[in-house]
Amino acid sequence: MLDIWMNLAYLAAAILFILGIKGLTRPKTAVRGNMMSATGMLVAVAVTLLDNSIISFELIIAGAVLGGVIGFVLAKKVQMTAMPQLVAILNGFGGGASLGLAAASYLQTLGGAGFADGALGTITMITIALTVIIGAVTVTGSVIAFAKLQEIMPGQPIGFPGMTGFNGLLLIGALASSVMLAIDPTNTLYFWLAIGAAAVLGLTLVLPIGGADMPVVIALLNSYSGIAAAFAGFVMGNTVLIVSGSLVGASGLILTNIMCVAMNRSLPNVLFGRMGADTGGEGAGDEIYEGKITSASPDEVGMLLETAQKVIIVPGFGMALSQAQHAVRELADAIERNGGEVLYAIHPVAGRMPGHMNVLLAEAEVPYEKLVEMERINPQFDDCDVAIVLGANDVTNPMAREDKGSPIYGMPILNVDKARTVVVIKRSLSAGFAGLPNPLFALDNTLMVFGDGKKAVVDITTALENG
């Protein structure tokens, strides 16, 4: 009877997860969706604690308290600008949890009653092997993604000749070890070989990927963590873990595809290509920029905005780095008080994770209806008086439309160059994540405001209000 009630509760939790994800698709229902998902997880955890096979409630409570404290501290201390690396490392935690669960199940069975014979035993071992492989790849890959985003290690592609072939050998080795483990479950060597090969594969998969592709990598690692959790659910016979893991895995793959479409690149090209490698960035930049850059002061931009009827703000990682989102909101308010209309152009891969700009602007309480997606905002640049670009380098680069030899050729971009005047706020003329110069900076209708993003925006706002 208890099993029936537990399964019904798991079903209720799964429904709450699905409804919660549906709620997260719209800003107005996002908070409610988040609460529904959290409630579903609470139900799932509470019901699991009723399981008769629980060995030590003390350890579970200690783990919950420790995790809760860590989560609370992270929520309070981590800045919004550091959300990408936090998401990256949380993906690793999810993969690590699934890896640990599968490993514990294998070792416990090995030291206990042993493995089932026949097809059931083989399927169980295959499931365990797939869980540890995907979990290990997720852990190490997420660590590298975190290290690159946190600038602990260089964000540029890191690799060596033949790296793709080496990755293929690692994958074959991990799968071969899994097959041998299914044939002989008692040989722990195959188990550790599968984990080792997968862990190295996670490193070598993410090391060659540059900063421009990090939004795709984060979405993909999120999917990996969900798939690992779903397989872990099969290992444990836990329905709610299978459902929740499948939801995360599927949504992560969908998001990964959206990111790839936004960059006009295939997933294999992201994983095995090197955007920005060997482009000769700095020399090419000197040739493009020489004698063509027009600088402007915040006061001059403030005067320009006094008569602007339509202004489109294009946020990028420069806004995140300088934590300028609140200053941007204040500038928009000043423009609107002056009679102008303000919209925000959101490119799907602006920043370092999917939705990065949306999160930052939401923190500054920018009305969501003012955030306009690329497909809908691009036609509006033609009648835009001023487009203000805050560090969104690669997603505004005209080379994506005009230079067939460019690594980003064909990538959909924000057509800011079609605005009557473009104001680019940037510390320098340095290349973006893709390592490419941006001809936008040298156009006749572009004004460059050099300096810290937040300070520049504050000075522009002051000039506008005092004008």
Side-chain angles (χ1 to χ4, degrees), residues 327-394:
V328 167
R329 168 66 191 270
E330 291 169 5
L331 173 60
D333 290 344
I335 294 171
E336 290 172 342
R337 285 194 298 269
N338 205 47
E341 177 190 10
V342 179
L343 296 174
Y344 298 79
I346 305 299
H347 193 285
V349 295
R352 291 189 174 183
M353 74 174 183
H356 195 181
M357 298 301 103
N358 303 64
V359 172
L360 290 173
L361 293 170
E363 183 199 16
E365 298 183 354
V366 172
Y368 196 83
E369 57 270 15
K370 292 184 179 293
L371 309 185
V372 188
E373 296 175 354
M374 177 176 60
E375 292 78 8
R376 293 193 295 119
I377 198 67
N378 268 344
Q380 301 190 49
F381 281 109
D382 290 321
D383 63 349
C384 170
D385 295 306
V386 181
I388 302 175
V389 181
L390 280 135
N393 196 329
D394 299 321

Short mmCIF file of all heavy atoms in Angstrom, two decimals, residues 327-394:
data_model
loop_
_atom_site.label_atom_id
_atom_site.label_comp_id
_atom_site.label_asym_id
_atom_site.label_seq_id
_atom_site.Cartn_x
_atom_site.Cartn_y
_atom_site.Cartn_z
N ALA A 327 22.13 51.26 -14.14
CA ALA A 327 22.43 52.54 -14.79
C ALA A 327 21.74 52.63 -16.15
O ALA A 327 21.25 53.70 -16.55
CB ALA A 327 23.94 52.70 -14.96
N VAL A 328 21.67 51.50 -16.85
CA VAL A 328 20.99 51.46 -18.15
C VAL A 328 19.50 51.75 -17.97
O VAL A 328 18.90 52.50 -18.75
CB VAL A 328 21.21 50.09 -18.83
CG1 VAL A 328 20.26 49.90 -20.01
CG2 VAL A 328 22.66 49.96 -19.29
N ARG A 329 18.91 51.16 -16.94
CA ARG A 329 17.48 51.42 -16.67
C ARG A 329 17.26 52.91 -16.37
O ARG A 329 16.28 53.51 -16.86
CB ARG A 329 17.02 50.56 -15.48
CG ARG A 329 15.66 50.94 -14.91
CD ARG A 329 14.53 50.69 -15.89
NE ARG A 329 13.29 51.29 -15.45
CZ ARG A 329 12.38 50.67 -14.70
NH1 ARG A 329 12.59 49.43 -14.30
NH2 ARG A 329 11.27 51.28 -14.36
N GLU A 330 18.16 53.52 -15.62
CA GLU A 330 18.02 54.95 -15.31
C GLU A 330 18.17 55.81 -16.56
O GLU A 330 17.47 56.82 -16.73
CB GLU A 330 19.06 55.34 -14.26
CG GLU A 330 18.78 54.72 -12.89
CD GLU A 330 19.94 54.89 -11.92
OE1 GLU A 330 20.92 55.58 -12.31
OE2 GLU A 330 19.87 54.36 -10.80
N LEU A 331 19.08 55.42 -17.47
CA LEU A 331 19.22 56.15 -18.73
C LEU A 331 17.94 56.04 -19.55
O LEU A 331 17.46 57.04 -20.12
CB LEU A 331 20.41 55.59 -19.53
CG LEU A 331 20.59 56.16 -20.95
CD1 LEU A 331 20.80 57.66 -20.91
CD2 LEU A 331 21.74 55.46 -21.67
N ALA A 332 17.37 54.82 -19.61
CA ALA A 332 16.13 54.63 -20.36
C ALA A 332 15.00 55.48 -19.77
O ALA A 332 14.21 56.09 -20.51
CB ALA A 332 15.75 53.15 -20.35
N ASP A 333 14.93 55.53 -18.45
CA ASP A 333 13.90 56.36 -17.80
C ASP A 333 14.07 57.83 -18.17
O ASP A 333 13.08 58.54 -18.43
CB ASP A 333 13.98 56.20 -16.28
CG ASP A 333 13.51 54.82 -15.82
OD1 ASP A 333 12.86 54.12 -16.61
OD2 ASP A 333 13.83 54.45 -14.66
N ALA A 334 15.33 58.30 -18.21
CA ALA A 334 15.60 59.70 -18.56
C ALA A 334 15.19 59.98 -20.01
O ALA A 334 14.63 61.05 -20.31
CB ALA A 334 17.08 60.01 -18.34
N ILE A 335 15.47 59.04 -20.91
CA ILE A 335 15.09 59.22 -22.32
C ILE A 335 13.57 59.29 -22.46
O ILE A 335 13.02 60.12 -23.19
CB ILE A 335 15.66 58.08 -23.18
CG1 ILE A 335 17.19 58.13 -23.20
CG2 ILE A 335 15.11 58.13 -24.60
CD1 ILE A 335 17.85 56.92 -23.83
N GLU A 336 12.88 58.40 -21.73
CA GLU A 336 11.42 58.38 -21.80
C GLU A 336 10.80 59.64 -21.20
O GLU A 336 9.80 60.15 -21.71
CB GLU A 336 10.90 57.12 -21.11
CG GLU A 336 11.21 55.85 -21.89
CD GLU A 336 10.87 54.58 -21.14
OE1 GLU A 336 10.71 54.65 -19.90
OE2 GLU A 336 10.75 53.52 -21.79
N ARG A 337 11.40 60.16 -20.13
CA ARG A 337 10.91 61.42 -19.56
C ARG A 337 11.09 62.57 -20.55
O ARG A 337 10.36 63.56 -20.52
CB ARG A 337 11.64 61.73 -18.24
CG ARG A 337 11.19 60.88 -17.07
CD ARG A 337 11.70 61.46 -15.75
NE ARG A 337 13.15 61.49 -15.67
CZ ARG A 337 13.90 60.51 -15.18
NH1 ARG A 337 13.30 59.41 -14.71
NH2 ARG A 337 15.22 60.62 -15.13
N ASN A 338 12.07 62.41 -21.43
CA ASN A 338 12.34 63.43 -22.43
C ASN A 338 11.48 63.27 -23.68
O ASN A 338 11.64 64.00 -24.66
CB ASN A 338 13.83 63.39 -22.81
CG ASN A 338 14.34 64.70 -23.33
OD1 ASN A 338 14.09 65.76 -22.75
ND2 ASN A 338 15.06 64.65 -24.45
N GLY A 339 10.59 62.25 -23.65
CA GLY A 339 9.67 62.05 -24.77
C GLY A 339 10.08 60.99 -25.76
O GLY A 339 9.39 60.78 -26.77
N GLY A 340 11.18 60.28 -25.52
CA GLY A 340 11.63 59.24 -26.44
C GLY A 340 11.10 57.86 -26.08
O GLY A 340 10.69 57.61 -24.95
N GLU A 341 11.15 56.97 -27.05
CA GLU A 341 10.76 55.57 -26.84
C GLU A 341 12.04 54.73 -26.71
O GLU A 341 12.99 54.92 -27.47
CB GLU A 341 9.94 55.06 -28.02
CG GLU A 341 9.56 53.59 -27.93
CD GLU A 341 8.96 53.04 -29.22
OE1 GLU A 341 9.02 53.74 -30.25
OE2 GLU A 341 8.47 51.89 -29.18
N VAL A 342 12.04 53.80 -25.77
CA VAL A 342 13.22 52.96 -25.55
C VAL A 342 12.84 51.49 -25.64
O VAL A 342 11.87 51.05 -25.01
CB VAL A 342 13.88 53.24 -24.17
CG1 VAL A 342 15.09 52.33 -23.97
CG2 VAL A 342 14.30 54.69 -24.06
N LEU A 343 13.60 50.75 -26.42
CA LEU A 343 13.46 49.30 -26.51
C LEU A 343 14.82 48.66 -26.29
O LEU A 343 15.86 49.31 -26.44
CB LEU A 343 12.90 48.89 -27.88
CG LEU A 343 11.49 49.37 -28.24
CD1 LEU A 343 11.16 49.01 -29.68
CD2 LEU A 343 10.45 48.79 -27.29
N TYR A 344 14.81 47.37 -25.94
CA TYR A 344 16.05 46.63 -25.73
C TYR A 344 16.11 45.49 -26.74
O TYR A 344 15.17 44.69 -26.84
CB TYR A 344 16.12 46.06 -24.31
CG TYR A 344 16.10 47.10 -23.22
CD1 TYR A 344 14.91 47.71 -22.82
CD2 TYR A 344 17.29 47.48 -22.58
CE1 TYR A 344 14.90 48.67 -21.81
CE2 TYR A 344 17.28 48.43 -21.57
CZ TYR A 344 16.08 49.03 -21.20
OH TYR A 344 16.07 49.98 -20.20
N ALA A 345 17.20 45.42 -27.49
CA ALA A 345 17.38 44.36 -28.49
C ALA A 345 18.11 43.18 -27.86
O ALA A 345 19.25 43.32 -27.39
CB ALA A 345 18.17 44.90 -29.69
N ILE A 346 17.47 42.03 -27.84
CA ILE A 346 18.04 40.86 -27.17
C ILE A 346 18.43 39.80 -28.19
O ILE A 346 17.59 39.25 -28.91
CB ILE A 346 17.03 40.25 -26.17
CG1 ILE A 346 16.55 41.31 -25.17
CG2 ILE A 346 17.66 39.06 -25.44
CD1 ILE A 346 17.63 41.92 -24.32
N HIS A 347 19.73 39.55 -28.29
CA HIS A 347 20.22 38.47 -29.14
C HIS A 347 20.30 37.19 -28.29
O HIS A 347 20.72 37.24 -27.13
CB HIS A 347 21.61 38.81 -29.69
CG HIS A 347 22.05 37.91 -30.80
ND1 HIS A 347 22.48 36.62 -30.58
CD2 HIS A 347 22.11 38.10 -32.16
CE1 HIS A 347 22.81 36.06 -31.74
NE2 HIS A 347 22.59 36.93 -32.71
N PRO A 348 19.90 36.04 -28.85
CA PRO A 348 19.87 34.79 -28.05
C PRO A 348 21.19 34.41 -27.41
O PRO A 348 21.19 33.76 -26.35
CB PRO A 348 19.42 33.73 -29.06
CG PRO A 348 18.70 34.49 -30.11
CD PRO A 348 19.38 35.82 -30.21
N VAL A 349 22.32 34.78 -28.03
CA VAL A 349 23.61 34.36 -27.46
C VAL A 349 24.42 35.54 -26.93
O VAL A 349 25.63 35.43 -26.75
CB VAL A 349 24.45 33.55 -28.48
CG1 VAL A 349 23.77 32.25 -28.82
CG2 VAL A 349 24.71 34.37 -29.74
N ALA A 350 23.76 36.67 -26.67
CA ALA A 350 24.47 37.80 -26.05
C ALA A 350 24.81 37.44 -24.61
O ALA A 350 23.98 36.91 -23.87
CB ALA A 350 23.60 39.06 -26.09
N GLY A 351 26.05 37.70 -24.21
CA GLY A 351 26.47 37.33 -22.86
C GLY A 351 27.14 35.98 -22.85
O GLY A 351 27.66 35.50 -23.85
N ARG A 352 27.10 35.33 -21.70
CA ARG A 352 27.84 34.07 -21.53
C ARG A 352 26.96 32.89 -21.18
O ARG A 352 27.46 31.82 -20.84
CB ARG A 352 28.91 34.25 -20.46
CG ARG A 352 30.04 35.17 -20.90
CD ARG A 352 31.19 35.13 -19.91
NE ARG A 352 32.32 35.90 -20.38
CZ ARG A 352 33.47 35.98 -19.74
NH1 ARG A 352 33.62 35.35 -18.59
NH2 ARG A 352 34.46 36.69 -20.22
N MET A 353 25.66 33.09 -21.18
CA MET A 353 24.75 31.95 -20.99
C MET A 353 23.41 32.31 -21.62
O MET A 353 23.11 33.50 -21.82
CB MET A 353 24.59 31.61 -19.51
CG MET A 353 23.73 32.58 -18.73
SD MET A 353 23.43 32.02 -17.04
CE MET A 353 22.34 33.33 -16.45
N PRO A 354 22.60 31.33 -21.95
CA PRO A 354 21.28 31.62 -22.51
C PRO A 354 20.45 32.48 -21.55
O PRO A 354 20.36 32.20 -20.36
CB PRO A 354 20.65 30.22 -22.65
CG PRO A 354 21.82 29.29 -22.74
CD PRO A 354 22.88 29.88 -21.88
N GLY A 355 19.89 33.56 -22.08
CA GLY A 355 19.04 34.42 -21.26
C GLY A 355 19.81 35.34 -20.33
O GLY A 355 19.20 35.96 -19.45
N HIS A 356 21.12 35.47 -20.52
CA HIS A 356 21.96 36.26 -19.61
C HIS A 356 21.46 37.70 -19.51
O HIS A 356 21.31 38.26 -18.42
CB HIS A 356 23.41 36.22 -20.09
CG HIS A 356 24.39 36.67 -19.06
ND1 HIS A 356 25.75 36.74 -19.30
CD2 HIS A 356 24.24 37.07 -17.78
CE1 HIS A 356 26.37 37.16 -18.22
NE2 HIS A 356 25.47 37.38 -17.29
N MET A 357 21.21 38.32 -20.67
CA MET A 357 20.79 39.72 -20.67
C MET A 357 19.39 39.88 -20.06
O MET A 357 19.12 40.85 -19.35
CB MET A 357 20.79 40.28 -22.09
CG MET A 357 22.16 40.29 -22.76
SD MET A 357 23.39 41.26 -21.85
CE MET A 357 24.36 39.99 -21.06
N ASN A 358 18.52 38.92 -20.33
CA ASN A 358 17.17 38.98 -19.75
C ASN A 358 17.22 38.98 -18.23
O ASN A 358 16.49 39.72 -17.57
CB ASN A 358 16.34 37.79 -20.24
CG ASN A 358 16.24 37.71 -21.75
OD1 ASN A 358 17.25 37.52 -22.42
ND2 ASN A 358 15.05 37.84 -22.29
N VAL A 359 18.10 38.13 -17.68
CA VAL A 359 18.23 38.02 -16.23
C VAL A 359 18.73 39.33 -15.63
O VAL A 359 18.20 39.83 -14.63
CB VAL A 359 19.16 36.85 -15.86
CG1 VAL A 359 19.47 36.86 -14.36
CG2 VAL A 359 18.54 35.52 -16.25
N LEU A 360 19.76 39.90 -16.25
CA LEU A 360 20.35 41.13 -15.72
C LEU A 360 19.34 42.29 -15.79
O LEU A 360 19.20 43.06 -14.83
CB LEU A 360 21.60 41.50 -16.52
CG LEU A 360 22.82 40.60 -16.32
CD1 LEU A 360 23.92 40.96 -17.30
CD2 LEU A 360 23.34 40.68 -14.89
N LEU A 361 18.63 42.41 -16.89
CA LEU A 361 17.67 43.50 -17.04
C LEU A 361 16.46 43.30 -16.14
O LEU A 361 15.87 44.26 -15.65
CB LEU A 361 17.25 43.64 -18.50
CG LEU A 361 18.38 44.11 -19.44
CD1 LEU A 361 17.97 43.99 -20.89
CD2 LEU A 361 18.80 45.54 -19.12
N ALA A 362 16.09 42.04 -15.92
CA ALA A 362 14.99 41.76 -14.99
C ALA A 362 15.38 42.18 -13.57
O ALA A 362 14.55 42.69 -12.81
CB ALA A 362 14.63 40.29 -15.03
N GLU A 363 16.67 41.99 -13.22
CA GLU A 363 17.14 42.41 -11.91
C GLU A 363 16.99 43.92 -11.74
O GLU A 363 16.71 44.42 -10.65
CB GLU A 363 18.61 42.02 -11.73
CG GLU A 363 19.16 42.35 -10.36
CD GLU A 363 20.68 42.40 -10.30
OE1 GLU A 363 21.32 42.48 -11.36
OE2 GLU A 363 21.22 42.38 -9.19
N ALA A 364 17.17 44.65 -12.86
CA ALA A 364 17.02 46.11 -12.82
C ALA A 364 15.57 46.55 -13.00
O ALA A 364 15.30 47.74 -13.16
CB ALA A 364 17.89 46.74 -13.91
N GLU A 365 14.66 45.57 -13.01
CA GLU A 365 13.22 45.83 -13.12
C GLU A 365 12.84 46.54 -14.42
O GLU A 365 11.96 47.40 -14.47
CB GLU A 365 12.71 46.64 -11.91
CG GLU A 365 12.89 45.90 -10.59
CD GLU A 365 12.31 46.66 -9.40
OE1 GLU A 365 11.87 47.80 -9.59
OE2 GLU A 365 12.31 46.09 -8.31
N VAL A 366 13.53 46.16 -15.49
CA VAL A 366 13.14 46.64 -16.81
C VAL A 366 11.88 45.88 -17.24
O VAL A 366 11.85 44.65 -17.17
CB VAL A 366 14.26 46.40 -17.84
CG1 VAL A 366 13.78 46.72 -19.26
CG2 VAL A 366 15.49 47.23 -17.49
N PRO A 367 10.81 46.56 -17.66
CA PRO A 367 9.58 45.87 -18.08
C PRO A 367 9.88 44.86 -19.19
O PRO A 367 10.53 45.20 -20.19
CB PRO A 367 8.69 47.01 -18.58
CG PRO A 367 9.19 48.23 -17.88
CD PRO A 367 10.68 48.03 -17.74
N TYR A 368 9.39 43.65 -19.01
CA TYR A 368 9.76 42.58 -19.94
C TYR A 368 9.27 42.87 -21.36
O TYR A 368 9.90 42.45 -22.33
CB TYR A 368 9.20 41.24 -19.46
CG TYR A 368 9.85 40.07 -20.14
CD1 TYR A 368 11.06 39.56 -19.69
CD2 TYR A 368 9.28 39.49 -21.28
CE1 TYR A 368 11.68 38.50 -20.33
CE2 TYR A 368 9.89 38.43 -21.93
CZ TYR A 368 11.10 37.94 -21.44
OH TYR A 368 11.71 36.90 -22.09
N GLU A 369 8.16 43.59 -21.49
CA GLU A 369 7.64 43.86 -22.84
C GLU A 369 8.58 44.76 -23.65
O GLU A 369 8.45 44.87 -24.87
CB GLU A 369 6.25 44.49 -22.77
CG GLU A 369 6.17 45.78 -21.98
CD GLU A 369 5.86 45.55 -20.51
OE1 GLU A 369 5.99 44.40 -20.04
OE2 GLU A 369 5.46 46.52 -19.84
N LYS A 370 9.52 45.41 -22.97
CA LYS A 370 10.50 46.24 -23.68
C LYS A 370 11.68 45.43 -24.21
O LYS A 370 12.50 45.95 -24.97
CB LYS A 370 11.00 47.36 -22.77
CG LYS A 370 9.94 48.41 -22.44
CD LYS A 370 10.54 49.53 -21.62
CE LYS A 370 9.49 50.60 -21.31
NZ LYS A 370 9.07 51.30 -22.55
N LEU A 371 11.80 44.17 -23.77
CA LEU A 371 12.86 43.30 -24.26
C LEU A 371 12.37 42.63 -25.54
O LEU A 371 11.46 41.80 -25.51
CB LEU A 371 13.24 42.25 -23.23
CG LEU A 371 13.54 42.75 -21.80
CD1 LEU A 371 14.01 41.59 -20.94
CD2 LEU A 371 14.58 43.85 -21.82
N VAL A 372 12.97 42.98 -26.67
CA VAL A 372 12.48 42.52 -27.96
C VAL A 372 13.49 41.57 -28.60
O VAL A 372 14.68 41.89 -28.71
CB VAL A 372 12.22 43.71 -28.91
CG1 VAL A 372 11.53 43.23 -30.18
CG2 VAL A 372 11.36 44.77 -28.21
N GLU A 373 13.01 40.41 -29.02
CA GLU A 373 13.89 39.40 -29.60
C GLU A 373 14.40 39.85 -30.97
O GLU A 373 13.81 40.71 -31.63
CB GLU A 373 13.15 38.07 -29.73
CG GLU A 373 12.76 37.48 -28.38
CD GLU A 373 11.91 36.23 -28.54
OE1 GLU A 373 11.54 35.90 -29.69
OE2 GLU A 373 11.62 35.59 -27.51
N MET A 374 15.49 39.23 -31.39
CA MET A 374 16.21 39.65 -32.59
C MET A 374 15.31 39.73 -33.83
O MET A 374 15.36 40.71 -34.58
CB MET A 374 17.37 38.68 -32.84
CG MET A 374 18.16 38.93 -34.11
SD MET A 374 19.57 37.81 -34.25
CE MET A 374 18.73 36.21 -34.26
N GLU A 375 14.48 38.72 -34.04
CA GLU A 375 13.66 38.69 -35.25
C GLU A 375 12.69 39.86 -35.31
O GLU A 375 12.38 40.37 -36.39
CB GLU A 375 12.87 37.36 -35.33
CG GLU A 375 13.72 36.12 -35.54
CD GLU A 375 14.41 35.65 -34.27
OE1 GLU A 375 14.10 36.21 -33.18
OE2 GLU A 375 15.26 34.75 -34.36
N ARG A 376 12.19 40.29 -34.15
CA ARG A 376 11.21 41.38 -34.13
C ARG A 376 11.86 42.76 -34.06
O ARG A 376 11.26 43.75 -34.49
CB ARG A 376 10.24 41.19 -32.94
CG ARG A 376 9.36 39.97 -33.09
CD ARG A 376 8.23 39.97 -32.08
NE ARG A 376 8.72 39.87 -30.71
CZ ARG A 376 8.51 40.78 -29.78
NH1 ARG A 376 7.85 41.89 -30.06
NH2 ARG A 376 8.95 40.60 -28.54
N ILE A 377 13.07 42.84 -33.52
CA ILE A 377 13.70 44.15 -33.35
C ILE A 377 14.47 44.57 -34.60
O ILE A 377 14.59 45.77 -34.88
CB ILE A 377 14.65 44.17 -32.12
CG1 ILE A 377 14.97 45.62 -31.68
CG2 ILE A 377 15.94 43.42 -32.42
CD1 ILE A 377 13.79 46.35 -31.12
N ASN A 378 14.99 43.62 -35.38
CA ASN A 378 15.82 43.99 -36.53
C ASN A 378 15.14 44.93 -37.52
O ASN A 378 15.76 45.90 -37.97
CB ASN A 378 16.34 42.73 -37.24
CG ASN A 378 17.70 42.30 -36.71
OD1 ASN A 378 18.39 43.06 -36.03
ND2 ASN A 378 18.07 41.07 -36.99
N PRO A 379 13.86 44.71 -37.88
CA PRO A 379 13.21 45.65 -38.81
C PRO A 379 13.07 47.06 -38.23
O PRO A 379 12.88 48.02 -38.99
CB PRO A 379 11.84 45.01 -39.04
CG PRO A 379 12.02 43.56 -38.72
CD PRO A 379 13.01 43.55 -37.60
N GLN A 380 13.16 47.19 -36.90
CA GLN A 380 12.94 48.49 -36.28
C GLN A 380 14.20 49.37 -36.24
O GLN A 380 14.11 50.55 -35.92
CB GLN A 380 12.41 48.30 -34.85
CG GLN A 380 11.10 47.53 -34.79
CD GLN A 380 10.46 47.57 -33.43
OE1 GLN A 380 10.33 48.63 -32.81
NE2 GLN A 380 10.08 46.40 -32.91
N PHE A 381 15.36 48.81 -36.58
CA PHE A 381 16.57 49.62 -36.60
C PHE A 381 16.53 50.66 -37.72
O PHE A 381 17.20 51.70 -37.63
CB PHE A 381 17.81 48.74 -36.74
CG PHE A 381 18.24 48.08 -35.46
CD1 PHE A 381 18.07 46.71 -35.28
CD2 PHE A 381 18.79 48.82 -34.43
CE1 PHE A 381 18.46 46.09 -34.10
CE2 PHE A 381 19.18 48.20 -33.23
CZ PHE A 381 19.00 46.84 -33.07
N ASP A 382 15.77 50.39 -38.77
CA ASP A 382 15.71 51.32 -39.89
C ASP A 382 15.14 52.68 -39.51
O ASP A 382 15.51 53.70 -40.09
CB ASP A 382 14.88 50.72 -41.04
CG ASP A 382 15.59 49.55 -41.71
OD1 ASP A 382 16.81 49.63 -41.87
OD2 ASP A 382 14.92 48.56 -42.04
N ASP A 383 14.21 52.70 -38.54
CA ASP A 383 13.65 53.99 -38.10
C ASP A 383 14.08 54.34 -36.68
O ASP A 383 13.38 55.05 -35.96
CB ASP A 383 12.12 53.98 -38.21
CG ASP A 383 11.47 52.95 -37.30
OD1 ASP A 383 12.21 52.10 -36.74
OD2 ASP A 383 10.24 52.99 -37.13
N CYS A 384 15.25 53.81 -36.29
CA CYS A 384 15.81 54.08 -34.96
C CYS A 384 16.75 55.27 -35.02
O CYS A 384 17.65 55.32 -35.87
CB CYS A 384 16.54 52.83 -34.46
SG CYS A 384 17.52 53.07 -32.97
N ASP A 385 16.54 56.25 -34.14
CA ASP A 385 17.40 57.43 -34.13
C ASP A 385 18.78 57.11 -33.56
O ASP A 385 19.81 57.51 -34.13
CB ASP A 385 16.74 58.55 -33.31
CG ASP A 385 15.46 59.04 -33.95
OD1 ASP A 385 15.50 59.41 -35.13
OD2 ASP A 385 14.42 59.03 -33.28
N VAL A 386 18.82 56.41 -32.43
CA VAL A 386 20.10 56.07 -31.78
C VAL A 386 20.05 54.63 -31.29
O VAL A 386 19.11 54.24 -30.60
CB VAL A 386 20.40 57.01 -30.59
CG1 VAL A 386 21.75 56.65 -29.97
CG2 VAL A 386 20.39 58.47 -31.02
N ALA A 387 21.06 53.85 -31.66
CA ALA A 387 21.24 52.51 -31.11
C ALA A 387 22.45 52.56 -30.18
O ALA A 387 23.53 53.00 -30.58
CB ALA A 387 21.47 51.49 -32.22
N ILE A 388 22.27 52.15 -28.93
CA ILE A 388 23.35 52.18 -27.94
C ILE A 388 23.80 50.75 -27.68
O ILE A 388 23.01 49.91 -27.21
CB ILE A 388 22.88 52.83 -26.63
CG1 ILE A 388 22.39 54.27 -26.89
CG2 ILE A 388 24.01 52.84 -25.60
CD1 ILE A 388 21.81 54.95 -25.66
N VAL A 389 25.05 50.46 -27.99
CA VAL A 389 25.60 49.11 -27.86
C VAL A 389 26.53 49.06 -26.66
O VAL A 389 27.49 49.84 -26.57
CB VAL A 389 26.38 48.70 -29.14
CG1 VAL A 389 26.93 47.28 -29.00
CG2 VAL A 389 25.48 48.80 -30.36
N LEU A 390 26.26 48.12 -25.74
CA LEU A 390 27.07 47.99 -24.52
C LEU A 390 27.83 46.67 -24.54
O LEU A 390 27.42 45.69 -23.92
CB LEU A 390 26.18 48.06 -23.29
CG LEU A 390 25.76 49.47 -22.88
CD1 LEU A 390 24.29 49.51 -22.55
CD2 LEU A 390 26.57 49.89 -21.68
N GLY A 391 28.91 46.65 -25.31
CA GLY A 391 29.78 45.47 -25.30
C GLY A 391 29.29 44.29 -26.11
O GLY A 391 29.94 43.25 -26.11
N ALA A 392 28.17 44.41 -26.81
CA ALA A 392 27.66 43.30 -27.62
C ALA A 392 28.44 43.25 -28.92
O ALA A 392 27.96 43.69 -29.97
CB ALA A 392 26.17 43.47 -27.86
N ASN A 393 29.65 42.71 -28.87
CA ASN A 393 30.58 42.81 -29.99
C ASN A 393 30.21 41.87 -31.14
O ASN A 393 29.86 42.31 -32.23
CB ASN A 393 32.00 42.51 -29.50
CG ASN A 393 33.05 42.98 -30.49
OD1 ASN A 393 32.84 43.00 -31.68
ND2 ASN A 393 34.21 43.35 -29.98
N ASP A 394 30.27 40.58 -30.89
CA ASP A 394 30.09 39.60 -31.96
C ASP A 394 28.68 39.60 -32.54
O ASP A 394 28.50 39.36 -33.73
CB ASP A 394 30.44 38.20 -31.45
CG ASP A 394 31.89 38.11 -30.99
OD1 ASP A 394 32.75 38.71 -31.65
OD2 ASP A 394 32.14 37.47 -29.96
#
